[in-house]
């Protein structure tokens, strides 16, 4: 009887250790996903507010404004005219579409990150699961939006390159920031998707330990 009680205590201790270890691992994954979501918000704000999406010899183009430097060569690209300074962006379809997609990315990611935070805060396992599942779907929409925007921007720009009046063009840091945001979004989605598989492993490990204990008891 004493030996059985000792074994029971050891099994309970082992299950408790497994619980704590796997619970911590699952939470760590979600915390990292939450941080990735926050970084995406910061990066998308930077990309949206910057005029350094496209650059060429004293001229810079963003999603909402283009800027003319004092050193800009004349004539300006795309038949534009104006003194040095920043002006509202050209009324071109691909620029408007990219801006709209980036705004969608910003708000959907912010909402998904909020859901992830609510999942971290909740003590109810069922609510946690619902929050994380919904966050995954919304982040997928966010990722698709930013990828479509990042692809159509250079493709459509290539069609009007002949009217650009410049020999050398560069995509600026703001365009690269958009790709950085997509990488963090992808990472957050992967971490949230790992939740279900990790939980299944967790419960299988508990079942194995408990089954072994029942066999010994029998």
């Amino acid at each position: 009887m004493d030996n059985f009680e000792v074994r029971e205590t050891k099994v309970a201790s082992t299950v408790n250790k497994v619980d704590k270890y796997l619970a911590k691992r699952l939470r760590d994954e979600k915390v990292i996903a939450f941080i990735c979501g926050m970084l995406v918000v910061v990066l998308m704000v930077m990309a949206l507010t910057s005029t350094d999406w496209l650059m060429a010899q004293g001229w810079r183009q963003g999603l909402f404004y283009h800027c003319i430097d004092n050193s800009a060569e004349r004539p300006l690209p795309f038949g534009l005219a104006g003194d040095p300074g920043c002006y509202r962006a050209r009324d071109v379809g691909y620029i408007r579409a990219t801006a709209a997609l980036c705004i969608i990315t910003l708000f959907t990611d912010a909402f998904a990150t909020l859901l992830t935070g609510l999942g971290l805060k909740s003590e109810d396992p069922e609510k946690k699961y619902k929050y994380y599942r919904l966050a995954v779907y919304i982040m997928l929409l966010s990722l698709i939006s930013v990828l479509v925007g990042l692809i159509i921007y250079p493709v459509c720009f290539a069609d009007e390159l002949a009217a650009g009046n410049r020999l050398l063009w560069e995509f600026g840091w703001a365009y690269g920031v958009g790709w950085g945001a997509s990488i963090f979004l992808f990472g957050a989605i992967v971490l949230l998707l790992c939740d279900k598989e990790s939980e299944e492993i967790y419960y299988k490990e508990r079942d194995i330990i408990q089954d072994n204990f029942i066999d010994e008891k029998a």
Side-chain angles (χ1 to χ4, degrees):
M1 186 66 179
D2 291 340
N3 291 335
F4 172 73
E5 290 178 353
V6 170
R7 286 200 303 272
E8 185 178 11
T9 302
K10 288 182 178 179
V11 169
S13 177
T14 303
V15 171
N16 187 47
K17 288 179 180 179
V18 171
D19 284 350
K20 289 181 178 180
Y21 168 72
L22 291 175
K24 182 179 183 299
R25 189 178 69 182
L26 290 172
R27 182 176 177 81
D28 288 346
E29 290 175 355
K30 303 308 169 292
V31 169
I32 296 172
F34 178 79
I35 293 172
C36 286
M38 293 295 294
L39 288 173
V40 171
V41 171
V42 174
L43 292 175
M44 291 310 301
V45 169
M46 292 171 61
L48 284 165
T49 56
S50 174
T51 57
D52 289 343
W53 276 69
L54 193 64
M55 301 181 296
Q57 297 173 329
W59 188 81
R60 293 174 286 124
Q61 174 178 282
L63 298 179
F64 299 99
Y65 293 94
H66 67 261
C67 295
I68 305 169
D69 295 340
N70 291 324
S71 60
E73 296 182 6
R74 307 286 173 156
L76 295 172
F78 311 113
L80 296 172
D83 296 326
C86 293
Y87 303 87
R88 190 171 297 277
R90 295 180 297 129
D91 188 17
V92 182
Y94 78 90
I95 297 177
R96 294 200 307 270
T98 302
L101 289 167
C102 286
I103 291 173
I104 291 172
T105 299
L106 173 62
F107 283 102
T108 52
D109 172 72
F111 184 48
T113 303
L114 175 62
L115 290 173
T116 304
L118 291 174
L120 286 168
K121 187 177 179 180
S122 176
E123 298 295 333
D124 186 343
E126 187 175 346
K127 285 185 178 181
K128 278 180 177 289
Y129 181 80
K130 289 180 178 179
Y131 283 136
Y132 294 148
R133 290 299 96 184
L134 185 55
V136 167
Y137 296 138
I138 296 174
M139 279 190 177
L140 278 172
L141 173 61
S142 185
L143 178 61
I144 292 170
S145 297
V146 71
L147 287 177
V148 171
L150 292 170
I151 291 171
I152 66 171
Y153 190 85
V155 170
C156 293
F157 165 70
D159 291 337
E160 63 172 1
L161 188 59
N165 233 358
R166 294 288 190 271
L167 294 176
L168 181 63
W169 289 90
E170 296 178 354
F171 288 103
W173 64 265
Y175 180 74
V177 162
W179 282 107
S182 68
I183 292 172
F184 281 113
L185 262 174
F186 179 76
I189 291 169
V190 170
L191 288 170
L192 290 174
L193 283 174
C194 287
D195 178 52
K196 185 174 179 58
E197 295 181 1
S198 297
E199 284 183 350
E200 289 176 353
I201 294 171
Y202 165 59
Y203 288 116
K204 284 179 181 177
E205 289 182 356
R206 287 195 63 180
D207 290 341
I208 290 171
I209 294 171
Q210 290 172 352
D211 289 344
N212 291 337
F213 171 68
I214 291 172
D215 290 341
E216 289 181 6
K217 182 178 179 181

